[in-house]
Amino acid sequence: MVSEVIEDMLKRMQSHPGVIGSVIINKEGQVIKSTLDNTTSLQYASLATRVCDSSVDALRNIDPTNDLTFLRVRSKKT
């Protein structure tokens, strides 16, 4: 059931104009699910992990009890 929910969510995201792909990673930066090739997925996972770590640090500086649970990245180019 959870797998179906994740698959539906990925399909909805992929249907938005301009979306090239989706990568789901865990806290350790490991790719769990991706619609991209393996090399690209690993590259994005590495970059996303650094962004998440920086975001968590910034968030905790504001409020130590807060935690980052979801991050969406969007750009003007794609």
Side-chain angles (χ1 to χ4, degrees):
M1 175 162 211
V2 173
S3 180
E4 291 176 24
V5 172
I6 292 171
E7 289 295 330
D8 288 343
M9 185 172 42
L10 279 173
K11 286 178 187 175
R12 278 197 321 271
M13 286 191 298
Q14 284 294 131
S15 69
H16 285 85
V19 173
I20 295 171
S22 301
V23 181
I24 300 174
I25 62 173
N26 64 11
K27 285 187 176 186
E28 289 77 36
Q30 298 169 326
V31 177
I32 296 172
K33 180 85 174 165
S34 178
T35 59
L36 303 170
D37 64 85
N38 191 47
T39 302
T40 305
S41 298
L42 292 173
Q43 181 181 11
Y44 280 121
S46 174
L47 294 169
T49 300
R50 286 193 277 170
V51 169
C52 286
D53 290 345
S54 295
S55 299
V56 166
D57 289 344
L59 187 62
R60 292 229 172 106
N61 282 336
I62 296 168
D63 181 358
T65 62
N66 256 338
D67 196 15
L68 185 69
T69 56
F70 185 83
L71 178 66
R72 177 180 170 182
V73 178
R74 194 173 189 180
S75 71
K76 288 185 178 186
K77 183 178 177 183
T78 51

